[in-house]
Amino acid sequence: MQNKALLVDDVANVLDSFRRNLRGQVAFDVANSGKAALGLMAENHYAVLVTDMTMPDMNGLSLLREVKRLYPDTVRIMLTGNGDQQTAIDAVNEGDVFRFLTKPCSVVELKRVIEAGFHQHSLIMAEKGLLNQTVRGIVSVLAEVLELVNPQAAAHNVQLKMYMLQLARELKLKQSWMLEPVAELSQLGTIVLPGVLADQYETSKLTAAENELIEQHASLASDLLEKIPRFEAVARNIRYQDKCFNGEGVPADDVKGADIPFGARMLKVVNDFIRARESGLSTVDALRRLETDVRWYDGKILSAFTRMLLRKADLMSVPVSSIEPGMVLSEKIATNAGKQLAREGQVVTTTLKQILTVCIQSGALSPALMIGVYLEDNGDAGNVEDIAV
């Protein structure tokens, strides 16, 4: 994709000068106000923004602040006749500008700075791509470690991630790279739990020391993750996943209500629902349990989660050979000999699908066996709120 600049000035003669002198040398659009500039940026990708300082309605500094918030990857350059020191300081500190130019500025100098901005944008995007690959690699490795050490927790995460992604869509959250790491690594602290624990939520079978370890698993995971650069917010969301909205729960501090990270509030709802289902409750009864303890949850999130589950498609009955990943079982699946392969309420994964296929091929399971399933809603995400809030 070709790098393109957006040049903003409220003086028509200046814009005409841009058009005459830069045409054919760099790719650019022009805007005569901050509002017009934001309108163009909502529809196009610009590597560089060059804006005048003194403009009516929205001055250059206000525009720079808004572009920094909405389009942080766009390289920002200030071009103004106000060469005073305070203007430069404000532009750097509040607009995070790449260069500060004063009028009059030669076409040669302006072209040189725009091209330097294009180069800076390329570096930013390359670093961002490398960071994304690094994050995916780190999350993948840690998730594999969790699966090896604590398969039960990893199985819990399969459902957790699915529900978290669906809940994010229901809440119309702004897409964030943090959502999947928060979901996939929320149980990382359980790697310290004794391997003899078949179910970390059967607390009646555990010793006091084991119960204490379970209560601390979120903090243990957070302590590990916050050592990774840029994972601080991920770690904080995971640390507070068992914190009740009214301030009860762990960690035992004064954080409560809206001060609990948004992703942690989501985890609280989803984790408690999954635990209720794993204890044998139906979907409706599990939701009723959450409603009974409503003071523990963010009402907005709980309402969205309930709405999401109750909006599922009607129960369908399909041959076991037609079951696909993403479906939720309304009943258990057992072999012809009675050996259970999957429980009621379990989310079908690629691994489970492969197991069912092998059983069908070996004759241990009839391909014509009819099984009840729910189909999940897979709507698109919106752009309202960020999980980091």
Side-chain angles (χ1 to χ4, degrees), residues 299-313:
K300 173 184 175 182
I301 294 174
L302 180 57
S303 295
F305 188 66
T306 301
R307 185 171 64 246
M308 177 191 85
L309 291 179
L310 296 182
R311 198 174 60 241
K312 285 180 180 176

Side-chain angles (χ1 to χ4, degrees), residues 2 15 48 57 101 118 126 237 247 270 309 321 358 370 375 384:
Q2 182 184 28
L15 296 182
V48 171
D57 299 325
L101 300 174
F118 286 158
N237 275 280
V270 176
L309 291 179
S321 59
V358 171
M370 301 301 290
L375 296 178
V384 175

Side-chain angles (χ1 to χ4, degrees), residues 175-298:
Q175 295 181 8
S176 171
W177 70 269
M178 287 196 297
L179 180 59
E180 291 195 25
V182 165
E184 291 187 39
L185 302 179
S186 65
Q187 306 300 301
L188 183 63
T190 63
I191 61 176
V192 303
L193 299 177
V196 296
L197 297 183
D199 187 341
Q200 62 175 303
Y201 305 117
E202 290 290 337
T203 55
S204 61
K205 301 178 182 179
L206 306 180
T207 67
E210 289 169 340
N211 270 316
E212 185 176 353
L213 275 176
I214 289 174
E215 288 183 355
Q216 296 301 318
H217 83 90
S219 293
L220 291 170
S222 179
D223 289 344
L224 289 171
L225 294 172
E226 67 184 9
K227 293 179 173 64
I228 302 174
R230 304 194 184 186
F231 266 60
E232 294 84 358
V234 173
R236 182 171 169 78
N237 275 280
I238 289 175
R239 181 180 295 275
Y240 282 93
Q241 64 180 293
D242 293 322
K243 187 73 166 180
C244 298
F245 197 68
N246 66 351
E248 297 178 18
V250 292
D253 56 21
D254 295 331
V255 176
K256 63 180 179 179
D259 291 333
I260 301 171
F262 198 82
R265 286 178 260 159
M266 292 174 65
L267 283 172
K268 176 64 177 170
V269 171
V270 176
N271 269 323
D272 285 3
F273 172 78
I274 295 174
R275 291 164 187 167
R277 292 288 287 119
E278 289 176 343
S279 72
L281 296 181
S282 67
T283 295
V284 172
D285 286 340
L287 288 173
R288 284 174 180 163
R289 174 180 287 184
L290 268 61
E291 291 290 347
T292 300
D293 296 318
V294 67
R295 67 191 185 283
W296 289 356
Y297 310 105
D298 183 321

Side-chain angles (χ1 to χ4, degrees), residues 118-132:
F118 286 158
H119 178 67
Q120 178 69 12
H121 181 263
S122 297
L123 294 177
I124 291 172
M125 298 310 294
E127 181 182 8
K128 188 173 182 179
L130 180 60
L131 176 61
N132 288 338

Side-chain angles (χ1 to χ4, degrees), residues 35-71:
K35 183 178 179 180
L38 291 175
L40 286 171
M41 295 191 76
E43 299 176 356
N44 305 280
H45 174 78
Y46 293 101
V48 171
L49 170 76
V50 181
T51 182
D52 184 31
M53 175 61 183
T54 306
M55 297 185 294
D57 299 325
M58 175 182 284
N59 65 23
L61 188 56
S62 297
L63 175 60
L64 287 170
R65 288 196 204 101
E66 195 67 4
V67 170
K68 178 182 177 181
R69 183 179 70 86
L70 296 173
Y71 312 103

